């Protein structure tokens, strides 16, 4: 049983599912597939938790601020095209929008960090370093790529 951060399990899932595995024997390929299958559940739950946290942190002002942001971007585009000159009121509006979204982002980031750092216990099937080296070579990856899987390699 291996304990890792949720975010590391999600990264491993994303990385593993994109690898070509044709260079290793069938048994090891099946073991990697089983690991991917186990990690998929964590990745799906993680995505759901992240989406839920964003939605939960949206206050009554969020939609209004999204609309203001959209209008500010349209004004900015007009300024770039020489069709409009920003007023002090426009600049104040942009400052309020930036302040709101900076606070919102900080809240989301703090909440998501808790989700990222939550430990999960995995019954991972270890992959031999020789098989993993074959996979790295077949996928033109270097040793720095391998570091994210240290907990999976025996």
């Amino acid at each position: 049983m291996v304990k890792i951060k949720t975010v590391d399990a999600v990264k491993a899932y994303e990385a593993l599912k994109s690898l070509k595995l044709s260079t290793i024997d069938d048994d090891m390929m099946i073991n990697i597939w089983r690991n991917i299958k186990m990690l998929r559940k964590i990745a799906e739950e993680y995505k759901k938790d992240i989406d839920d946290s964003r939605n939960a942190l949206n206050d009554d002002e969020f939609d209004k601020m999204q609309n203001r942001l959209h209008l500010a971007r349209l004004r900015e585009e007009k300024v770039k095209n020489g069709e409009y000159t920003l007023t002090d009121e426009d600049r104040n509006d942009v400052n309020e929008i930036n302040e709101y979204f900076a606070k919102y982002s900080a809240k989301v980031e703090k909440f998501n960090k808790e989700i990222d750092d939550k430990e999960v216990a995995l019954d991972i099937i270890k992959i031999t370093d020789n098989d993993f080296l074959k996979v790295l070579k077949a996928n033109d990856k270097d040793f720095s790529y391998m570091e994210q899987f240290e907990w999976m390699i025996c």
Side-chain angles (χ1 to χ4, degrees):
M1 189 73 62
V2 175
K3 287 188 177 186
I4 61 169
K5 291 181 179 182
T6 300
V7 71
D8 293 334
V10 172
K11 288 177 184 175
Y13 167 71
E14 294 298 330
L16 284 173
K17 74 178 187 174
S18 69
L19 294 176
K20 298 176 210 165
L21 302 175
S22 59
T23 59
I24 58 175
D25 66 57
D26 291 347
D27 289 338
M28 191 54 66
M29 192 182 304
I30 293 296
N31 288 341
I32 292 174
W33 174 78
R34 287 183 177 138
N35 287 342
I36 291 170
K37 189 175 167 185
M38 183 185 328
L39 292 168
R40 179 184 311 124
K41 292 174 187 173
I42 293 164
E44 289 170 352
E45 185 68 27
Y46 174 82
K47 183 182 179 335
K48 181 183 171 296
D49 288 348
I50 294 294
D51 290 344
D52 288 349
S53 74
R54 277 200 189 103
N55 292 333
L57 294 172
N58 290 354
D59 57 17
D60 296 337
E61 290 293 306
F62 186 80
D63 289 334
K64 292 177 193 173
M65 295 305 281
Q66 285 279 68
N67 189 44
R68 284 175 65 186
L69 177 61
H70 175 71
L71 294 174
R73 286 182 176 158
L74 291 176
R75 275 193 312 264
E76 185 178 314
E77 192 63 34
K78 287 181 180 181
V79 169
K80 284 181 183 177
N81 294 334
E83 302 168 2
Y84 185 77
T85 303
L86 286 179
T87 65
D88 286 341
E89 186 177 327
D90 294 332
R91 287 182 192 88
N92 288 338
D93 188 45
V94 168
N95 287 338
E96 287 177 18
I97 292 167
N98 287 340
E99 185 177 314
Y100 173 83
F101 282 106
K103 287 178 183 177
Y104 173 79
S105 294
K107 284 192 291 188
V108 169
E109 192 173 305
K110 179 182 177 191
F111 196 82
N112 289 351
K113 183 160 176 37
E114 291 176 21
I115 295 170
D116 289 352
D117 291 345
K118 180 179 143 191
E119 281 197 345
V120 290
L122 302 172
D123 194 16
I124 286 293
I125 302 167
K126 296 284 188 171
I127 302 164
T128 67
D129 51 1
N130 285 336
D131 282 327
F132 212 85
L133 282 173
K134 290 176 190 175
V135 171
L136 288 178
K137 288 178 184 177
N139 289 275
D140 199 29
K141 303 292 184 186
D142 59 20
F143 286 110
S144 63
Y145 187 82
M146 190 175 181
E147 288 175 1
Q148 67 182 314
F149 300 107
E150 284 182 76
W151 50 273
M152 192 182 297
I153 300 169
C154 60

